[in-house]
Amino acid sequence: MIASLMPNNIYEHLAARVLGQEAALRAISVAIYKHINHIGGARILMIGNSGTGKTTIMQAIEEFYAAHESLAEFRAMTIMNARTLLDEAGDVDTFAVFRSLENRVAAMLGEKRAPRDVQVLMENATVCLDEIDKISGKIAGKSDVTGMRLQQALLTFIEGERFLYRARVHAQGAERYAKLPINTRNILFVCGGAFEELYDQVYARVDNKEDERRLKEVRVYDKTSGMKSTILFTLRDYLKMSDLFYYGMAPQFLSRFGSIAMLDDLGRETLQRILLHSKDSPFNQSRTYFKTMDIDLRITDEAVDLVVSQAADNTRLGARALREVFSRVIMDLEFDPFDSGALRDGENGTRVLEIDAGMVDAALQSWEE
């Protein structure tokens, strides 16, 4: 069964959960394929603004393993903030990854977990380290010793090394501790970060003509303001590895990653798809909420355009901007839809609550005031 899971099959599963970010999902699909076939170079670094889907991608990877019975030995997975590898004394504690994985394995296997089963699951695990940019070796342009120590500690761990880890197992009829040799070579490391200052850093480099490439100016049409000129800048087009070194990521650390997946800022079309079709979108979550009251929540095309346009203006927030904007619209309606004056009778005795452009506009103006 594993042999039949090609990178394009993995991509199809991830793309059904993650809307947009096609290029990044292709790179991640290849990394997962390498991982489940024990091929080297599966480690991947994701770079993308807040709200572009890094956490959603990590969750989609977990769902992919769960959806295929043949991948049971790969289901141990943990999502951690990179800064949590510092203990209370400020020392680097990479074994925190093992402890997190052990808790996941214990939940999967239950009380009677044989040492070999624990070892196999931990060695075939996926470790997602979020906010990896927060372990930069620089803060405000100055060297940060803590960040460099974290990167150095992760070097060997990510590259592949055998560690003796004291794990709780079931052996000889009782629960006891056993020292298990855990080889991290086959662990899939998916690291992600916003690298927010990196965007301004690269833009300034190109704008100051320190690069042979020039910023692109394009003409676009906006429904509210008509034709206008705008600068087209994406990190994907201009990023150099030296930019990451200057940012504070050690060359030795970056060299451990087989590929870098660049996540694009979400455009209006993608934001619209997320709002209407993602199961976790604020609109669909509100639809589920109102169904408990036998109310069918709907939204007009014009209202969708207004919500998406407002969210698109906050490019650094991505999909989170949708939630922020939509919450302004839906907040009072969720509190008391029956006194809103917006309910009407629908088919088969149901009640309909339809959000229109006027309601969105009024809610946004009231919020600004």
Side-chain angles (χ1 to χ4, degrees), residues 287-331:
R287 290 197 73 188
T288 301
Y289 173 83
F290 282 112
K291 280 181 181 178
T292 65
M293 306 176 189
D294 295 322
I295 295 174
D296 181 16
L297 180 66
R298 302 177 185 177
I299 187 168
T300 67
D301 292 342
E302 293 78 11
V304 169
D305 286 343
L306 279 176
V307 171
V308 168
S309 294
Q310 185 76 12
D313 289 339
N314 295 287
T315 56
R316 289 294 175 92
L317 291 180
R320 288 189 176 90
L322 282 176
R323 190 169 303 279
E324 179 182 323
V325 173
F326 191 79
S327 68
R328 301 175 187 178
V329 177
I330 206 68
M331 185 184 304

mmCIF file of all heavy atoms in Angstrom, residues 287-331:
data_model
loop_
_atom_site.group_PDB
_atom_site.id
_atom_site.type_symbol
_atom_site.label_atom_id
_atom_site.label_comp_id
_atom_site.label_asym_id
_atom_site.label_seq_id
_atom_site.Cartn_x
_atom_site.Cartn_y
_atom_site.Cartn_z
ATOM 1 N N ARG A 287 -22.042 28.613 10.594
ATOM 2 C CA ARG A 287 -23.156 27.824 10.053
ATOM 3 C C ARG A 287 -23.476 26.659 10.978
ATOM 4 O O ARG A 287 -24.653 26.367 11.255
ATOM 5 C CB ARG A 287 -22.817 27.288 8.659
ATOM 6 C CG ARG A 287 -22.755 28.350 7.570
ATOM 7 C CD ARG A 287 -22.824 27.705 6.198
ATOM 8 N NE ARG A 287 -24.171 27.233 5.928
ATOM 9 C CZ ARG A 287 -24.504 26.494 4.880
ATOM 10 N NH1 ARG A 287 -23.571 26.099 4.023
ATOM 11 N NH2 ARG A 287 -25.750 26.122 4.693
ATOM 12 N N THR A 288 -22.421 25.986 11.465
ATOM 13 C CA THR A 288 -22.628 24.882 12.403
ATOM 14 C C THR A 288 -23.263 25.383 13.692
ATOM 15 O O THR A 288 -24.151 24.738 14.262
ATOM 16 C CB THR A 288 -21.277 24.198 12.714
ATOM 17 O OG1 THR A 288 -20.701 23.716 11.496
ATOM 18 C CG2 THR A 288 -21.451 23.053 13.685
ATOM 19 N N TYR A 289 -22.817 26.533 14.146
ATOM 20 C CA TYR A 289 -23.367 27.141 15.365
ATOM 21 C C TYR A 289 -24.867 27.400 15.214
ATOM 22 O O TYR A 289 -25.669 27.040 16.082
ATOM 23 C CB TYR A 289 -22.615 28.447 15.630
ATOM 24 C CG TYR A 289 -23.169 29.294 16.750
ATOM 25 C CD1 TYR A 289 -22.840 29.057 18.075
ATOM 26 C CD2 TYR A 289 -24.011 30.374 16.469
ATOM 27 C CE1 TYR A 289 -23.328 29.838 19.102
ATOM 28 C CE2 TYR A 289 -24.508 31.175 17.481
ATOM 29 C CZ TYR A 289 -24.176 30.903 18.804
ATOM 30 O OH TYR A 289 -24.671 31.687 19.806
ATOM 31 N N PHE A 290 -25.259 27.999 14.105
ATOM 32 C CA PHE A 290 -26.672 28.357 13.919
ATOM 33 C C PHE A 290 -27.554 27.142 13.654
ATOM 34 O O PHE A 290 -28.766 27.184 13.908
ATOM 35 C CB PHE A 290 -26.810 29.370 12.779
ATOM 36 C CG PHE A 290 -26.450 30.774 13.180
ATOM 37 C CD1 PHE A 290 -25.318 31.390 12.667
ATOM 38 C CD2 PHE A 290 -27.225 31.479 14.086
ATOM 39 C CE1 PHE A 290 -24.975 32.672 13.039
ATOM 40 C CE2 PHE A 290 -26.903 32.773 14.467
ATOM 41 C CZ PHE A 290 -25.768 33.371 13.952
ATOM 42 N N LYS A 291 -26.967 26.051 13.160
ATOM 43 C CA LYS A 291 -27.764 24.845 12.931
ATOM 44 C C LYS A 291 -28.321 24.299 14.231
ATOM 45 O O LYS A 291 -29.381 23.663 14.248
ATOM 46 C CB LYS A 291 -26.913 23.778 12.240
ATOM 47 C CG LYS A 291 -26.776 23.991 10.739
ATOM 48 C CD LYS A 291 -25.940 22.880 10.106
ATOM 49 C CE LYS A 291 -25.795 23.119 8.606
ATOM 50 N NZ LYS A 291 -24.933 22.062 7.973
ATOM 51 N N THR A 292 -27.615 24.539 15.351
ATOM 52 C CA THR A 292 -28.124 24.096 16.651
ATOM 53 C C THR A 292 -29.407 24.834 17.024
ATOM 54 O O THR A 292 -30.143 24.394 17.904
ATOM 55 C CB THR A 292 -27.069 24.306 17.753
ATOM 56 O OG1 THR A 292 -26.810 25.707 17.915
ATOM 57 C CG2 THR A 292 -25.772 23.587 17.397
ATOM 58 N N MET A 293 -29.673 25.970 16.360
ATOM 59 C CA MET A 293 -30.884 26.753 16.593
ATOM 60 C C MET A 293 -31.881 26.591 15.447
ATOM 61 O O MET A 293 -32.849 27.347 15.346
ATOM 62 C CB MET A 293 -30.529 28.236 16.746
ATOM 63 C CG MET A 293 -29.486 28.529 17.790
ATOM 64 S SD MET A 293 -29.048 30.299 17.805
ATOM 65 C CE MET A 293 -27.637 30.289 18.898
ATOM 66 N N ASP A 294 -31.596 25.608 14.565
ATOM 67 C CA ASP A 294 -32.428 25.378 13.375
ATOM 68 C C ASP A 294 -32.461 26.604 12.471
ATOM 69 O O ASP A 294 -33.508 26.949 11.893
ATOM 70 C CB ASP A 294 -33.851 24.980 13.774
ATOM 71 C CG ASP A 294 -33.887 23.648 14.502
ATOM 72 O OD1 ASP A 294 -33.116 22.752 14.109
ATOM 73 O OD2 ASP A 294 -34.661 23.512 15.464
ATOM 74 N N ILE A 295 -31.315 27.258 12.339
ATOM 75 C CA ILE A 295 -31.196 28.429 11.467
ATOM 76 C C ILE A 295 -30.166 28.117 10.382
ATOM 77 O O ILE A 295 -29.073 27.617 10.668
ATOM 78 C CB ILE A 295 -30.745 29.674 12.264
ATOM 79 C CG1 ILE A 295 -31.808 30.072 13.283
ATOM 80 C CG2 ILE A 295 -30.442 30.844 11.325
ATOM 81 C CD1 ILE A 295 -31.378 31.195 14.213
ATOM 82 N N ASP A 296 -30.542 28.415 9.142
ATOM 83 C CA ASP A 296 -29.649 28.218 8.010
ATOM 84 C C ASP A 296 -28.940 29.542 7.709
ATOM 85 O O ASP A 296 -29.571 30.495 7.253
ATOM 86 C CB ASP A 296 -30.452 27.742 6.793
ATOM 87 C CG ASP A 296 -29.566 27.492 5.574
ATOM 88 O OD1 ASP A 296 -28.341 27.384 5.756
ATOM 89 O OD2 ASP A 296 -30.101 27.422 4.451
ATOM 90 N N LEU A 297 -27.638 29.587 7.979
ATOM 91 C CA LEU A 297 -26.871 30.803 7.738
ATOM 92 C C LEU A 297 -26.409 30.843 6.286
ATOM 93 O O LEU A 297 -25.835 29.881 5.778
ATOM 94 C CB LEU A 297 -25.642 30.860 8.665
ATOM 95 C CG LEU A 297 -24.743 32.091 8.520
ATOM 96 C CD1 LEU A 297 -25.481 33.357 8.960
ATOM 97 C CD2 LEU A 297 -23.449 31.925 9.314
ATOM 98 N N ARG A 298 -26.639 31.990 5.634
ATOM 99 C CA ARG A 298 -26.221 32.175 4.249
ATOM 100 C C ARG A 298 -25.513 33.523 4.127
ATOM 101 O O ARG A 298 -25.602 34.367 5.009
ATOM 102 C CB ARG A 298 -27.423 32.121 3.299
ATOM 103 C CG ARG A 298 -28.212 30.809 3.377
ATOM 104 C CD ARG A 298 -29.438 30.828 2.483
ATOM 105 N NE ARG A 298 -30.251 29.626 2.639
ATOM 106 C CZ ARG A 298 -31.407 29.426 2.022
ATOM 107 N NH1 ARG A 298 -31.889 30.360 1.181
ATOM 108 N NH2 ARG A 298 -32.086 28.302 2.226
ATOM 109 N N ILE A 299 -24.833 33.703 3.006
ATOM 110 C CA ILE A 299 -24.133 34.967 2.763
ATOM 111 C C ILE A 299 -24.184 35.276 1.279
ATOM 112 O O ILE A 299 -23.990 34.379 0.441
ATOM 113 C CB ILE A 299 -22.673 34.903 3.274
ATOM 114 C CG1 ILE A 299 -21.997 36.273 3.169
ATOM 115 C CG2 ILE A 299 -21.875 33.833 2.577
ATOM 116 C CD1 ILE A 299 -20.668 36.355 3.911
ATOM 117 N N THR A 300 -24.482 36.517 0.923
ATOM 118 C CA THR A 300 -24.571 36.897 -0.488
ATOM 119 C C THR A 300 -23.182 37.074 -1.091
ATOM 120 O O THR A 300 -22.201 37.261 -0.378
ATOM 121 C CB THR A 300 -25.365 38.200 -0.666
ATOM 122 O OG1 THR A 300 -24.610 39.285 -0.077
ATOM 123 C CG2 THR A 300 -26.728 38.110 0.005
ATOM 124 N N ASP A 301 -23.135 37.039 -2.416
ATOM 125 C CA ASP A 301 -21.855 37.224 -3.105
ATOM 126 C C ASP A 301 -21.260 38.593 -2.803
ATOM 127 O O ASP A 301 -20.035 38.735 -2.640
ATOM 128 C CB ASP A 301 -22.049 37.075 -4.625
ATOM 129 C CG ASP A 301 -22.395 35.649 -5.028
ATOM 130 O OD1 ASP A 301 -22.153 34.728 -4.221
ATOM 131 O OD2 ASP A 301 -22.910 35.460 -6.148
ATOM 132 N N GLU A 302 -22.115 39.594 -2.736
ATOM 133 C CA GLU A 302 -21.633 40.954 -2.460
ATOM 134 C C GLU A 302 -21.043 41.053 -1.055
ATOM 135 O O GLU A 302 -20.027 41.729 -0.831
ATOM 136 C CB GLU A 302 -22.773 41.977 -2.619
ATOM 137 C CG GLU A 302 -23.289 42.140 -4.035
ATOM 138 C CD GLU A 302 -24.218 41.014 -4.459
ATOM 139 O OE1 GLU A 302 -24.627 40.209 -3.573
ATOM 140 O OE2 GLU A 302 -24.524 40.928 -5.671
ATOM 141 N N ALA A 303 -21.669 40.362 -0.102
ATOM 142 C CA ALA A 303 -21.151 40.364 1.264
ATOM 143 C C ALA A 303 -19.805 39.647 1.333
ATOM 144 O O ALA A 303 -18.885 40.075 2.032
ATOM 145 C CB ALA A 303 -22.157 39.703 2.208
ATOM 146 N N VAL A 304 -19.684 38.540 0.595
ATOM 147 C CA VAL A 304 -18.415 37.817 0.537
ATOM 148 C C VAL A 304 -17.315 38.730 0.006
ATOM 149 O O VAL A 304 -16.207 38.780 0.542
ATOM 150 C CB VAL A 304 -18.541 36.556 -0.349
ATOM 151 C CG1 VAL A 304 -17.151 35.960 -0.630
ATOM 152 C CG2 VAL A 304 -19.428 35.525 0.316
ATOM 153 N N ASP A 305 -17.633 39.484 -1.064
ATOM 154 C CA ASP A 305 -16.638 40.392 -1.654
ATOM 155 C C ASP A 305 -16.151 41.414 -0.637
ATOM 156 O O ASP A 305 -14.950 41.728 -0.570
ATOM 157 C CB ASP A 305 -17.235 41.105 -2.874
ATOM 158 C CG ASP A 305 -17.365 40.189 -4.076
ATOM 159 O OD1 ASP A 305 -16.710 39.128 -4.079
ATOM 160 O OD2 ASP A 305 -18.127 40.526 -4.998
ATOM 161 N N LEU A 306 -17.070 41.951 0.163
ATOM 162 C CA LEU A 306 -16.699 42.960 1.155
ATOM 163 C C LEU A 306 -15.795 42.366 2.245
ATOM 164 O O LEU A 306 -14.796 42.971 2.641
ATOM 165 C CB LEU A 306 -17.947 43.567 1.785
ATOM 166 C CG LEU A 306 -18.665 44.662 0.994
ATOM 167 C CD1 LEU A 306 -19.944 45.083 1.711
ATOM 168 C CD2 LEU A 306 -17.749 45.868 0.808
ATOM 169 N N VAL A 307 -16.163 41.194 2.743
ATOM 170 C CA VAL A 307 -15.372 40.546 3.789
ATOM 171 C C VAL A 307 -13.976 40.224 3.267
ATOM 172 O O VAL A 307 -12.961 40.496 3.928
ATOM 173 C CB VAL A 307 -16.071 39.258 4.281
ATOM 174 C CG1 VAL A 307 -15.141 38.471 5.212
ATOM 175 C CG2 VAL A 307 -17.367 39.595 5.000
ATOM 176 N N VAL A 308 -13.915 39.655 2.065
ATOM 177 C CA VAL A 308 -12.636 39.264 1.481
ATOM 178 C C VAL A 308 -11.766 40.483 1.193
ATOM 179 O O VAL A 308 -10.557 40.477 1.443
ATOM 180 C CB VAL A 308 -12.866 38.427 0.200
ATOM 181 C CG1 VAL A 308 -11.561 38.263 -0.578
ATOM 182 C CG2 VAL A 308 -13.451 37.071 0.554
ATOM 183 N N SER A 309 -12.380 41.544 0.675
ATOM 184 C CA SER A 309 -11.615 42.764 0.371
ATOM 185 C C SER A 309 -11.005 43.354 1.633
ATOM 186 O O SER A 309 -9.845 43.788 1.637
ATOM 187 C CB SER A 309 -12.519 43.800 -0.309
ATOM 188 O OG SER A 309 -12.933 43.346 -1.574
ATOM 189 N N GLN A 310 -11.798 43.380 2.701
ATOM 190 C CA GLN A 310 -11.283 43.915 3.966
ATOM 191 C C GLN A 310 -10.149 43.040 4.506
ATOM 192 O O GLN A 310 -9.137 43.549 4.996
ATOM 193 C CB GLN A 310 -12.423 43.975 4.993
ATOM 194 C CG GLN A 310 -12.061 44.610 6.316
ATOM 195 C CD GLN A 310 -11.974 46.130 6.239
ATOM 196 O OE1 GLN A 310 -12.399 46.715 5.250
ATOM 197 N NE2 GLN A 310 -11.433 46.749 7.273
ATOM 198 N N ALA A 311 -10.305 41.731 4.393
ATOM 199 C CA ALA A 311 -9.267 40.816 4.878
ATOM 200 C C ALA A 311 -8.010 40.905 4.032
ATOM 201 O O ALA A 311 -6.893 40.814 4.545
ATOM 202 C CB ALA A 311 -9.795 39.380 4.890
ATOM 203 N N ALA A 312 -8.178 41.081 2.720
ATOM 204 C CA ALA A 312 -7.030 41.128 1.812
ATOM 205 C C ALA A 312 -6.155 42.343 2.072
ATOM 206 O O ALA A 312 -4.972 42.347 1.722
ATOM 207 C CB ALA A 312 -7.511 41.131 0.362
ATOM 208 N N ASP A 313 -6.710 43.384 2.669
ATOM 209 C CA ASP A 313 -5.917 44.573 2.985
ATOM 210 C C ASP A 313 -4.913 44.301 4.097
ATOM 211 O O ASP A 313 -3.965 45.065 4.278
ATOM 212 C CB ASP A 313 -6.832 45.735 3.391
ATOM 213 C CG ASP A 313 -7.615 46.282 2.210
ATOM 214 O OD1 ASP A 313 -7.180 46.051 1.056
ATOM 215 O OD2 ASP A 313 -8.656 46.922 2.418
ATOM 216 N N ASN A 314 -5.145 43.232 4.862
ATOM 217 C CA ASN A 314 -4.230 42.865 5.950
ATOM 218 C C ASN A 314 -3.393 41.677 5.491
ATOM 219 O O ASN A 314 -3.567 40.553 5.955
ATOM 220 C CB ASN A 314 -5.012 42.492 7.213
ATOM 221 C CG ASN A 314 -5.776 43.673 7.773
ATOM 222 O OD1 ASN A 314 -5.202 44.584 8.336
ATOM 223 N ND2 ASN A 314 -7.082 43.654 7.603
ATOM 224 N N THR A 315 -2.461 41.916 4.550
ATOM 225 C CA THR A 315 -1.721 40.816 3.939
ATOM 226 C C THR A 315 -0.856 40.064 4.938
ATOM 227 O O THR A 315 -0.557 38.891 4.740
ATOM 228 C CB THR A 315 -0.822 41.343 2.802
ATOM 229 O OG1 THR A 315 0.037 42.374 3.322
ATOM 230 C CG2 THR A 315 -1.657 41.910 1.682
ATOM 231 N N ARG A 316 -0.440 40.702 6.015
ATOM 232 C CA ARG A 316 0.423 40.024 6.982
ATOM 233 C C ARG A 316 -0.374 39.118 7.925
ATOM 234 O O ARG A 316 0.209 38.391 8.714
ATOM 235 C CB ARG A 316 1.207 41.058 7.795
ATOM 236 C CG ARG A 316 2.304 41.777 6.993
ATOM 237 C CD ARG A 316 3.400 40.830 6.577
ATOM 238 N NE ARG A 316 4.402 41.445 5.730
ATOM 239 C CZ ARG A 316 5.518 42.000 6.172
ATOM 240 N NH1 ARG A 316 5.742 42.059 7.461
ATOM 241 N NH2 ARG A 316 6.395 42.502 5.333
ATOM 242 N N LEU A 317 -1.699 39.160 7.864
ATOM 243 C CA LEU A 317 -2.523 38.309 8.721
ATOM 244 C C LEU A 317 -3.086 37.103 7.985
ATOM 245 O O LEU A 317 -3.492 36.127 8.604
ATOM 246 C CB LEU A 317 -3.682 39.121 9.324
ATOM 247 C CG LEU A 317 -3.306 40.176 10.354
ATOM 248 C CD1 LEU A 317 -4.552 40.892 10.844
ATOM 249 C CD2 LEU A 317 -2.567 39.554 11.525
ATOM 250 N N GLY A 318 -3.137 37.176 6.645
ATOM 251 C CA GLY A 318 -3.609 36.050 5.862
ATOM 252 C C GLY A 318 -5.008 35.617 6.244
ATOM 253 O O GLY A 318 -5.917 36.427 6.426
ATOM 254 N N ALA A 319 -5.197 34.284 6.406
ATOM 255 C CA ALA A 319 -6.515 33.744 6.707
ATOM 256 C C ALA A 319 -7.022 34.210 8.064
ATOM 257 O O ALA A 319 -8.234 34.231 8.302
ATOM 258 C CB ALA A 319 -6.473 32.216 6.652
ATOM 259 N N ARG A 320 -6.113 34.584 8.979
ATOM 260 C CA ARG A 320 -6.559 35.091 10.284
ATOM 261 C C ARG A 320 -7.357 36.378 10.130
ATOM 262 O O ARG A 320 -8.216 36.685 10.952
ATOM 263 C CB ARG A 320 -5.347 35.325 11.190
ATOM 264 C CG ARG A 320 -4.693 34.049 11.687
ATOM 265 C CD ARG A 320 -3.649 34.343 12.749
ATOM 266 N NE ARG A 320 -3.081 33.115 13.301
ATOM 267 C CZ ARG A 320 -2.015 32.497 12.822
ATOM 268 N NH1 ARG A 320 -1.381 33.015 11.781
ATOM 269 N NH2 ARG A 320 -1.560 31.388 13.368
ATOM 270 N N ALA A 321 -7.057 37.141 9.061
ATOM 271 C CA ALA A 321 -7.798 38.378 8.830
ATOM 272 C C ALA A 321 -9.262 38.081 8.522
ATOM 273 O O ALA A 321 -10.149 38.860 8.882
ATOM 274 C CB ALA A 321 -7.168 39.176 7.691
ATOM 275 N N LEU A 322 -9.522 36.964 7.847
ATOM 276 C CA LEU A 322 -10.914 36.570 7.576
ATOM 277 C C LEU A 322 -11.683 36.393 8.878
ATOM 278 O O LEU A 322 -12.821 36.859 9.012
ATOM 279 C CB LEU A 322 -10.954 35.258 6.789
ATOM 280 C CG LEU A 322 -10.678 35.297 5.291
ATOM 281 C CD1 LEU A 322 -10.684 33.882 4.735
ATOM 282 C CD2 LEU A 322 -11.709 36.157 4.559
ATOM 283 N N ARG A 323 -11.053 35.726 9.817
ATOM 284 C CA ARG A 323 -11.717 35.484 11.103
ATOM 285 C C ARG A 323 -11.969 36.790 11.845
ATOM 286 O O ARG A 323 -13.036 36.991 12.438
ATOM 287 C CB ARG A 323 -10.853 34.539 11.954
ATOM 288 C CG ARG A 323 -11.537 34.022 13.198
ATOM 289 C CD ARG A 323 -10.730 32.897 13.826
ATOM 290 N NE ARG A 323 -10.501 31.811 12.896
ATOM 291 C CZ ARG A 323 -11.400 30.858 12.622
ATOM 292 N NH1 ARG A 323 -12.578 30.890 13.204
ATOM 293 N NH2 ARG A 323 -11.104 29.894 11.773
ATOM 294 N N GLU A 324 -10.983 37.687 11.788
ATOM 295 C CA GLU A 324 -11.133 38.966 12.475
ATOM 296 C C GLU A 324 -12.274 39.781 11.868
ATOM 297 O O GLU A 324 -13.109 40.333 12.589
ATOM 298 C CB GLU A 324 -9.825 39.747 12.398
ATOM 299 C CG GLU A 324 -9.886 41.106 13.071
ATOM 300 C CD GLU A 324 -8.581 41.868 12.917
ATOM 301 O OE1 GLU A 324 -7.514 41.240 12.961
ATOM 302 O OE2 GLU A 324 -8.644 43.104 12.759
ATOM 303 N N VAL A 325 -12.310 39.856 10.528
ATOM 304 C CA VAL A 325 -13.340 40.644 9.849
ATOM 305 C C VAL A 325 -14.714 40.013 10.035
ATOM 306 O O VAL A 325 -15.688 40.688 10.374
ATOM 307 C CB VAL A 325 -13.014 40.787 8.345
ATOM 308 C CG1 VAL A 325 -14.170 41.462 7.609
ATOM 309 C CG2 VAL A 325 -11.725 41.578 8.151
ATOM 310 N N PHE A 326 -14.787 38.700 9.832
ATOM 311 C CA PHE A 326 -16.095 38.039 9.913
ATOM 312 C C PHE A 326 -16.660 38.085 11.323
ATOM 313 O O PHE A 326 -17.879 38.194 11.513
ATOM 314 C CB PHE A 326 -15.989 36.591 9.434
ATOM 315 C CG PHE A 326 -17.320 35.926 9.226
ATOM 316 C CD1 PHE A 326 -18.063 36.177 8.078
ATOM 317 C CD2 PHE A 326 -17.838 35.067 10.174
ATOM 318 C CE1 PHE A 326 -19.294 35.580 7.887
ATOM 319 C CE2 PHE A 326 -19.071 34.462 9.992
ATOM 320 C CZ PHE A 326 -19.809 34.718 8.836
ATOM 321 N N SER A 327 -15.784 38.030 12.332
ATOM 322 C CA SER A 327 -16.267 38.080 13.712
ATOM 323 C C SER A 327 -16.958 39.400 14.015
ATOM 324 O O SER A 327 -17.898 39.454 14.820
ATOM 325 C CB SER A 327 -15.111 37.851 14.687
ATOM 326 O OG SER A 327 -14.196 38.937 14.654
ATOM 327 N N ARG A 328 -16.499 40.469 13.361
ATOM 328 C CA ARG A 328 -17.147 41.763 13.556
ATOM 329 C C ARG A 328 -18.578 41.732 13.031
ATOM 330 O O ARG A 328 -19.482 42.352 13.593
ATOM 331 C CB ARG A 328 -16.367 42.855 12.843
ATOM 332 C CG ARG A 328 -14.924 43.010 13.289
ATOM 333 C CD ARG A 328 -14.200 44.032 12.437
ATOM 334 N NE ARG A 328 -12.766 44.087 12.742
ATOM 335 C CZ ARG A 328 -11.908 44.858 12.114
ATOM 336 N NH1 ARG A 328 -12.328 45.649 11.140
ATOM 337 N NH2 ARG A 328 -10.630 44.851 12.451
ATOM 338 N N VAL A 329 -18.762 40.999 11.948
ATOM 339 C CA VAL A 329 -20.076 40.939 11.302
ATOM 340 C C VAL A 329 -21.036 40.038 12.077
ATOM 341 O O VAL A 329 -22.210 40.367 12.252
ATOM 342 C CB VAL A 329 -19.933 40.432 9.849
ATOM 343 C CG1 VAL A 329 -21.301 40.300 9.182
ATOM 344 C CG2 VAL A 329 -19.024 41.353 9.040
ATOM 345 N N ILE A 330 -20.518 38.921 12.564
ATOM 346 C CA ILE A 330 -21.395 37.872 13.096
ATOM 347 C C ILE A 330 -21.606 37.948 14.605
ATOM 348 O O ILE A 330 -22.515 37.326 15.155
ATOM 349 C CB ILE A 330 -20.809 36.487 12.720
ATOM 350 C CG1 ILE A 330 -21.910 35.426 12.665
ATOM 351 C CG2 ILE A 330 -19.692 36.089 13.664
ATOM 352 C CD1 ILE A 330 -22.881 35.614 11.534
ATOM 353 N N MET A 331 -20.791 38.743 15.301
ATOM 354 C CA MET A 331 -20.792 38.739 16.761
ATOM 355 C C MET A 331 -22.177 38.977 17.359
ATOM 356 O O MET A 331 -22.686 38.173 18.155
ATOM 357 C CB MET A 331 -19.812 39.791 17.287
ATOM 358 C CG MET A 331 -19.639 39.797 18.798
ATOM 359 S SD MET A 331 -18.548 41.136 19.323
ATOM 360 C CE MET A 331 -17.078 40.772 18.364
#
